[in-house]
Amino acid sequence: MSVQGVRNLQHQWSIIGEFSNYPLEDLVNWINEKTPPDAVFAGPMPTMASIKLSTLRPIVNHPHYEDAQLRYH
């Protein structure tokens, strides 16, 4: 198992490339250029993580991901 794991890691490390997501980049640029610094955003968690990290704008949890039981514990 360890030998195969090392092979898998070596293969993954050998992949050279660049991740790009042009729609998300456009969204981040639009937020930075067209919205006030205190604008708050809501949406899917992966998108909101990128918005928070890239623009430093406040975000709120999307209700779809909330767990009502967690609020009372």
Side-chain angles (χ1 to χ4, degrees):
M1 190 159 96
S2 332
V3 172
Q4 185 60 42
V6 169
R7 282 189 197 134
N8 289 341
L9 285 172
Q10 289 172 334
H11 172 70
Q12 291 299 317
W13 290 333
S14 72
I15 297 172
I16 298 174
E18 181 177 315
F19 173 78
S20 63
N21 183 343
Y22 294 117
L24 182 60
E25 290 178 34
D26 287 341
L27 177 62
V28 167
N29 288 334
W30 180 83
I31 289 171
N32 281 328
E33 295 170 7
K34 305 287 185 182
T35 65
D38 59 350
V40 179
F41 295 89
M45 292 174 75
T47 303
M48 291 301 99
S50 296
I51 298 302
K52 178 66 176 172
L53 291 172
S54 300
T55 68
L56 301 179
R57 298 300 203 281
I59 61 169
V60 294
N61 287 339
H62 191 281
H64 176 75
Y65 294 105
E66 285 189 14
D67 183 345
Q69 291 181 341
L70 290 176
R71 287 182 269 174
Y72 300 110
H73 288 57

